[in-house]
Amino acid sequence: MARRPVNFTLNGSPRAAFAEEGQNLLEFLRRGVGDLTPKYGCGQGTCGACTVTVNGRTQLACLVLAETVEGAEIGTAAGLATSGTLDPLQEAFMDHFAAQCGYCTPGMLVSARALLDANPRPTREEVVEAISGNLCRCTGYEPIIAAILSVAEGRARA
Amino acid sequence: MALHRGRGFAAINYPIGMNLGGDPSQALVHSNPDGKFTVALSAIDLGQGMKSVTRQVAAETLGVPLEDVYVDTADSDTGPHDMGSFASRGTHRMGNAVIRAAEEARQVMLEAAAEELEVDAADLVTDGQGNIHVRGAPSRSITTMAAAQAAQFRQGRTIAGRGIFLIPLSEVDPDTGEMSPVTTFAHAAMLVEVEGDDETGEVAVTDMQSAYEVGRALNPRLVEQQLRGGAWMGMSHAAWETTEPYYPDRAHGPVDFNAYTLPGPGDLAPHHISVLERPAEDGPYGGKGPGEMCANPVLPAVVNAVYDAVGLRIDELPVTPEKVLRGLRAQGGAKPRRALG
């Protein structure tokens, strides 16, 4: 199979890796680049576990061809913590017990961070809308919504 | 065509553990030379908090800080035997096994400390902050780290403990059918309100009020987390999820998340939770398990609320719009038993 070099930015750092022909962005990030935070849930765009940002917009990595991200800025949950300091959203997820098995958590965090970057004061309805593409099997969603709202209202730490 | 509101109630007893050839869990506890402890279990933490709770139980029993305990799980090749994380048994079975293992290790730790302090081990107490001292004389003290190092490097003593908790198999009495498969139950009561649409057949849960009796809540935030998530699963089982919508006919079974529907973050009902704490006699520090029974009361409560709302008794889950519409047609329309509000 043909391989093609792809230059892109991952969480602010320039990166380059070979993409297999037809490889999707999820496999490319996990196998080719080694960022394991995007999760493989369904592989067909219905669960949201692989949510990443491409040039600031949330995308389902399993539905994006890796070759198409040439020159793009990719954001994953691995980029949320900087220099050992967690993003306030990550702190809020801990404070609100917003994870159990944790499989949906990276995708949830990416969706929530994208929402707050675009809309720092979302309503509950806007939070619900923002995570409506991310399935969670454990929490019943309420702790996740509460965690995101707590950051939105500027009180990340209880 | 109208929306109909109804209210339904259900109460359940749910057994902890199971009765398949006996129900054992084992734990091994040992100290490292730095005075910190490792608990080895073969049970798995699936996110329900089993590692957190067994860590608390071990620290409490050993008399050491929580930070000094590490729980190592889920390698059934190298760990002690366990039946597994299911049947709502984790807190109760593994917690009890950890208590027994930690008690044995604590005894050796106190003997090691006693030898260093030249006192009787029976006179020693722990302060839970990493110190062991003579009862009533806090100045006659040694740290758990110093005791562990003395055991390792001077005394040649292993600070370790083994624990097993076993509920033996209960055989069925062939004459009476009597058996005692369960030693403890958790309990729950649930009141739900639903709104049913007699045009579309859709049923929405609009409010949940619950009371759960879980023994002592060893970790209240984890208990609430289980109850909140579990009740959502119950709501999902009641009105959404099925792999075989026309069972036993396998037709139209969902094969992906497009067809296998679940309530999303926009379909939640407010859930008001009360936790009743009645410490279980044979539970670790009184704990039982909220595991599965957090989901169970929701299903009958929803079915009862649908009956209240439109007079339709649905006896196959989930309560899908199709079943509601077919049932309403058969009975000549919605027949609310009692209008809510």
Side-chain angles (χ1 to χ4, degrees):
Chain A
M1 281 216 294
R3 303 197 322 156
R4 177 191 293 253
V6 179
N7 293 280
F8 62 103
T9 305
L10 179 63
N11 297 320
S13 301
R15 299 292 291 265
F18 284 103
E20 306 285 342
E21 196 173 25
Q23 189 174 38
N24 67 39
L25 180 58
L26 175 60
E27 277 192 27
F28 176 68
L29 288 172
R30 290 181 61 86
R31 292 197 202 167
V33 182
D35 184 342
L36 299 177
T37 56
K39 301 298 180 194
Y40 180 96
C42 65
Q44 60 183 58
T46 55
C47 78
C50 66
T51 304
V52 299
T53 57
V54 178
N55 295 327
R57 290 188 60 221
T58 52
Q59 300 268 297
L60 298 163
C62 72
L63 298 186
V64 175
L65 275 176
E67 300 170 32
T68 66
V69 303
E70 173 70 33
E73 290 185 16
I74 309 294
T76 70
L80 288 175
T82 49
S83 307
T85 304
L86 294 180
D87 186 282
L89 258 177
Q90 292 171 303
E91 296 276 358
F93 267 55
M94 291 199 298
D95 291 342
H96 288 81
F97 285 61
Q100 285 188 40
C101 84
Y103 206 78
C104 75
T105 309
M108 284 283 183
L109 287 167
V110 170
S111 291
R113 176 39 65 205
L115 167 71
L116 294 176
D117 287 349
N119 177 7
R121 292 276 187 280
T123 63
R124 180 187 167 97
E125 287 67 34
E126 288 166 334
V127 170
V128 164
E129 174 74 25
I131 62 167
S132 61
N134 297 80
L135 297 188
C136 171
R137 195 47 160 139
C138 307
T139 64
Y141 295 102
E142 193 65 48
I144 295 171
I145 297 169
I148 298 169
L149 282 172
S150 78
V151 177
E153 291 157 12
R155 38 186 180 84
R157 302 309 299 261
Chain B
M1 301 299 161
L3 293 174
H4 303 276
R5 296 174 66 202
R7 182 180 284 165
F9 177 78
I12 62 157
N13 305 316
Y14 197 77
I16 305 300
M18 48 92 213
N19 188 43
L20 296 171
D23 192 11
S25 280
Q26 287 190 33
L28 296 174
V29 174
H30 74 270
S31 93
N32 304 305
D34 59 1
K36 300 190 191 307
F37 287 84
T38 300
V39 180
L41 301 170
S42 290
I44 297 173
D45 193 330
L46 313 134
Q48 80 277 41
M50 202 271 295
K51 284 181 84 166
S52 302
V53 167
T54 48
R55 187 187 191 199
Q56 288 176 258
V57 167
E60 182 74 20
T61 308
L62 288 162
V64 303
L66 192 66
E67 301 74 46
D68 286 0
V69 176
Y70 175 74
V71 178
D72 185 27
T73 62
D75 186 342
S76 55
D77 275 349
T78 58
H81 176 259
D82 199 297
M83 295 300 283
S85 297
F86 62 93
S88 304
R89 65 191 290 286
T91 296
H92 191 268
R93 303 294 198 259
M94 296 152 209
N96 273 322
V98 168
I99 285 180
R100 291 171 187 200
E103 280 173 346
E104 191 171 294
R106 173 187 166 89
Q107 188 54 38
V108 185
M109 176 180 78
L110 294 182
E111 286 164 10
E115 189 168 324
E116 294 304 301
L117 292 172
E118 299 180 16
V119 297
D120 189 324
D123 294 332
L124 291 175
V125 293
T126 47
D127 68 355
Q129 294 170 30
N131 302 298
I132 303 164
H133 64 80
V134 175
R135 185 181 284 104
S139 61
R140 294 290 305 283
S141 127
I142 183 172
T143 64
T144 51
M145 185 200 287
Q149 286 178 343
Q152 174 81 349
F153 295 107
R154 272 201 297 279
Q155 303 172 9
R157 198 193 290 268
T158 310
I159 299 183
R162 304 151 299 170
I164 183 166
F165 185 73
L166 168 65
I167 300 292
L169 174 68
S170 172
E171 302 277 6
V172 182
D173 184 307
D175 294 325
T176 64
E178 186 180 342
M179 65 191 300
S180 301
V182 173
T183 63
T184 188
F185 283 87
H187 310 279
M190 169 77 70
L191 190 63
V192 306
E193 290 181 14
V194 303
E195 197 169 71
D197 185 325
D198 67 12
E199 185 173 14
T200 66
E202 286 174 300
V203 170
V205 178
T206 55
D207 191 69
M208 294 194 276
Q209 311 260 356
S210 65
Y212 291 95
E213 191 278 300
V214 297
R216 181 185 277 177
L218 299 186
N219 187 318
R221 294 293 300 276
L222 287 177
V223 167
E224 186 194 332
Q225 188 186 43
Q226 287 295 293
L227 299 180
R228 202 166 285 290
W232 170 85
M233 291 182 208
M235 184 173 91
S236 189
H237 290 309
W240 303 69
E241 288 180 51
T242 179
T243 54
E244 291 159 327
Y246 299 101
Y247 181 83
D249 186 346
R250 304 296 303 273
H252 302 290
V255 294
D256 59 32
F257 289 126
N258 285 318
Y260 190 85
T261 57
L262 303 155
D267 303 306
L268 306 182
H271 183 189
H272 312 277
I273 297 172
S274 299
V275 175
L276 309 178
E277 293 189 83
R278 292 167 61 231
E281 279 182 19
D282 70 346
Y285 299 106
K288 292 193 280 199
E292 291 155 289
M293 64 103 192
C294 52
N296 294 345
V298 188
L299 288 74
V302 166
V303 169
N304 287 338
V306 170
Y307 180 59
D308 189 44
V310 296
L312 179 63
R313 180 58 76 186
I314 292 192
D315 58 8
E316 275 183 34
L317 291 169
V319 182
T320 58
E322 180 180 347
K323 287 177 194 161
V324 172
L325 285 182
R326 288 185 190 280
L328 289 180
R329 187 177 301 167
Q331 72 174 17
K335 294 177 177 170
R337 299 185 64 242
R338 179 175 59 77
L340 253 187

